[in-house]
Amino acid sequence: MLIEEVRQLDERGMAAWDQHNADDFADMFADDFTLSDVSLPDALHSTDQVRQYMETWFTAFPDMHVRSINRVVTEDAVAAEVEFTGTNTGPLVVGGMEVPATGKSVKGTGTYFVSVRDGKITSFSAHPDVAGMMVQLGMMPEA
Protein backbone atom coordinates (compact mmCIF):
# COMPACT_ATOMS: atom_id res chain seq x y z
CA MET A 1 0.00 0.00 0.00
CA LEU A 2 1.01 3.59 -0.37
CA ILE A 3 1.85 5.49 2.80
CA GLU A 4 -1.01 7.90 2.05
CA GLU A 5 -3.49 4.98 1.92
CA VAL A 6 -2.27 3.66 5.27
CA ARG A 7 -2.51 7.18 6.75
CA GLN A 8 -6.11 7.47 5.50
CA LEU A 9 -6.96 4.07 7.00
CA ASP A 10 -5.54 5.22 10.34
CA GLU A 11 -7.49 8.49 10.19
CA ARG A 12 -10.64 6.50 9.47
CA GLY A 13 -9.96 4.44 12.58
CA MET A 14 -9.37 7.52 14.73
CA ALA A 15 -12.62 9.04 13.42
CA ALA A 16 -14.51 5.83 14.27
CA TRP A 17 -13.21 6.02 17.85
CA ASP A 18 -13.95 9.73 18.20
CA GLN A 19 -17.45 9.34 16.72
CA HIS A 20 -18.14 6.16 18.74
CA ASN A 21 -18.72 4.10 15.61
CA ALA A 22 -17.85 0.52 16.54
CA ASP A 23 -19.09 -0.86 13.20
CA ASP A 24 -16.80 1.38 11.12
CA PHE A 25 -13.82 0.43 13.27
CA ALA A 26 -14.56 -3.31 13.17
CA ASP A 27 -14.97 -3.19 9.37
CA MET A 28 -11.33 -2.12 9.05
CA PHE A 29 -10.01 -5.53 10.15
CA ALA A 30 -8.87 -8.37 7.89
CA ASP A 31 -10.54 -11.78 8.08
CA ASP A 32 -7.61 -13.09 10.14
CA PHE A 33 -6.38 -10.55 12.72
CA THR A 34 -5.31 -10.08 16.31
CA LEU A 35 -6.27 -7.14 18.53
CA SER A 36 -4.51 -6.95 21.86
CA ASP A 37 -4.85 -4.35 24.60
CA VAL A 38 -2.94 -4.29 27.88
CA SER A 39 -6.29 -3.88 29.69
CA LEU A 40 -7.68 -7.13 28.23
CA PRO A 41 -6.95 -10.61 29.60
CA ASP A 42 -6.93 -12.14 26.09
CA ALA A 43 -6.44 -11.05 22.48
CA LEU A 44 -9.47 -10.55 20.23
CA HIS A 45 -9.90 -12.34 16.89
CA SER A 46 -13.44 -11.55 15.70
CA THR A 47 -15.10 -8.34 14.59
CA ASP A 48 -17.92 -9.00 17.09
CA GLN A 49 -15.31 -8.96 19.87
CA VAL A 50 -13.89 -5.69 18.47
CA ARG A 51 -17.35 -4.10 18.50
CA GLN A 52 -17.93 -5.23 22.08
CA TYR A 53 -14.46 -3.93 23.10
CA MET A 54 -15.25 -0.50 21.69
CA GLU A 55 -18.74 -0.41 23.19
CA THR A 56 -17.21 -1.19 26.59
CA TRP A 57 -15.07 1.95 26.34
CA PHE A 58 -18.00 4.04 25.07
CA THR A 59 -20.21 2.80 27.92
CA ALA A 60 -17.60 3.73 30.51
CA PHE A 61 -16.88 7.11 28.85
CA PRO A 62 -19.93 8.18 26.79
CA ASP A 63 -18.35 11.57 26.09
CA MET A 64 -14.95 10.11 25.11
CA HIS A 65 -12.92 11.95 22.50
CA VAL A 66 -9.60 10.89 21.01
CA ARG A 67 -6.95 12.65 19.02
CA SER A 68 -3.61 11.71 17.56
CA ILE A 69 -0.63 13.43 19.16
CA ASN A 70 2.20 11.77 17.24
CA ARG A 71 2.20 9.23 14.45
CA VAL A 72 4.62 7.35 12.21
CA VAL A 73 3.19 5.74 9.07
CA THR A 74 4.87 3.33 6.64
CA GLU A 75 3.58 1.28 3.69
CA ASP A 76 2.31 -1.43 6.05
CA ALA A 77 2.27 -0.07 9.61
CA VAL A 78 1.28 2.74 11.96
CA ALA A 79 2.74 3.62 15.35
CA ALA A 80 0.88 6.37 17.16
CA GLU A 81 0.48 8.19 20.43
CA VAL A 82 -3.04 9.33 21.28
CA GLU A 83 -4.77 11.41 23.90
CA PHE A 84 -8.26 10.64 25.13
CA THR A 85 -10.63 12.54 27.37
CA GLY A 86 -13.89 11.51 28.94
CA THR A 87 -16.05 11.30 32.03
CA ASN A 88 -16.53 7.91 33.64
CA THR A 89 -20.32 7.76 33.94
CA GLY A 90 -20.71 4.06 33.10
CA PRO A 91 -19.15 0.83 34.37
CA LEU A 92 -15.51 0.36 33.36
CA VAL A 93 -14.13 -3.06 32.41
CA VAL A 94 -10.41 -3.45 33.08
CA GLY A 95 -8.51 -6.74 33.17
CA GLY A 96 -11.77 -8.62 32.79
CA MET A 97 -13.26 -6.99 35.91
CA GLU A 98 -16.14 -4.49 35.95
CA VAL A 99 -15.71 -1.39 38.11
CA PRO A 100 -18.63 0.97 38.92
CA ALA A 101 -18.64 4.47 37.43
CA THR A 102 -16.82 7.17 39.41
CA GLY A 103 -18.26 10.27 37.74
CA LYS A 104 -14.70 11.59 37.37
CA SER A 105 -13.11 12.96 34.22
CA VAL A 106 -9.84 11.72 32.77
CA LYS A 107 -7.28 12.95 30.32
CA GLY A 108 -5.20 9.97 29.31
CA THR A 109 -2.65 8.90 26.80
CA GLY A 110 -1.86 5.70 25.03
CA THR A 111 -0.03 4.21 22.11
CA TYR A 112 -1.02 1.74 19.44
CA PHE A 113 0.77 -0.23 16.78
CA VAL A 114 -1.02 -1.44 13.64
CA SER A 115 0.03 -3.76 10.84
CA VAL A 116 -1.82 -3.44 7.52
CA ARG A 117 -2.11 -5.76 4.52
CA ASP A 118 -4.30 -5.24 1.46
CA GLY A 119 -6.08 -2.26 3.02
CA LYS A 120 -7.09 -4.08 6.21
CA ILE A 121 -5.70 -4.27 9.74
CA THR A 122 -4.00 -7.58 10.50
CA SER A 123 -2.78 -6.69 13.97
CA PHE A 124 -3.66 -3.93 16.42
CA SER A 125 -1.81 -3.60 19.71
CA ALA A 126 -3.14 -0.95 22.14
CA HIS A 127 -1.29 0.35 25.18
CA PRO A 128 -3.50 2.81 27.08
CA ASP A 129 -2.01 4.28 30.27
CA VAL A 130 -4.35 2.30 32.49
CA ALA A 131 -2.47 3.15 35.70
CA GLY A 132 -2.67 6.88 34.98
CA MET A 133 -6.36 6.56 34.24
CA MET A 134 -6.95 4.61 37.47
CA VAL A 135 -5.19 7.34 39.49
CA GLN A 136 -7.41 10.03 37.91
CA LEU A 137 -10.49 7.96 38.64
CA GLY A 138 -9.45 7.61 42.30
CA MET A 139 -8.99 3.85 42.03
CA MET A 140 -5.23 3.93 42.71
CA PRO A 141 -3.12 6.22 44.88
CA GLU A 142 -0.78 8.69 43.20
CA ALA A 143 2.83 7.50 43.16
Side-chain angles (χ1 to χ4, degrees):
M1 289 183 69
L2 298 174
I3 289 175
E4 179 60 22
E5 292 171 320
V6 175
R7 185 187 63 75
Q8 288 174 0
L9 181 70
D10 185 59
E11 288 178 359
R12 192 173 127 214
M14 287 295 294
W17 270 96
D18 196 55
Q19 297 165 8
H20 299 201
N21 193 327
D23 289 332
D24 278 359
F25 189 72
D27 289 344
M28 297 172 57
F29 285 81
D31 291 338
D32 184 24
F33 71 88
T34 300
L35 184 151
S36 60
D37 182 312
V38 295
S39 70
L40 295 176
D42 298 306
L44 310 180
H45 299 284
S46 77
T47 53
D48 286 340
Q49 289 175 314
V50 171
R51 284 183 195 91
Q52 182 180 1
Y53 163 77
M54 292 188 70
E55 292 298 338
T56 299
W57 279 102
F58 302 151
T59 297
F61 299 96
D63 62 346
M64 173 189 274
H65 288 287
V66 297
R67 69 181 186 97
S68 181
I69 298 170
N70 192 9
R71 176 174 63 177
V72 177
V73 181
T74 70
E75 294 86 359
D76 62 357
V78 176
E81 179 182 16
V82 296
E83 178 181 87
F84 63 92
T85 59
T87 307
N88 179 221
T89 57
L92 175 65
V93 178
V94 178
M97 297 178 5
E98 186 172 289
V99 180
T102 65
K104 295 183 180 182
S105 295
V106 298
K107 181 177 181 180
T109 60
T111 57
Y112 64 89
F113 303 91
V114 175
S115 295
V116 178
R117 185 179 61 241
D118 299 326
K120 295 284 190 171
I121 296 171
T122 57
S123 74
F124 186 98
S125 178
H127 303 266
D129 178 8
V130 177
M133 183 176 64
M134 293 296 156
V135 168
Q136 291 179 61
L137 294 174
M139 297 177 186
M140 282 179 52
E142 289 188 45

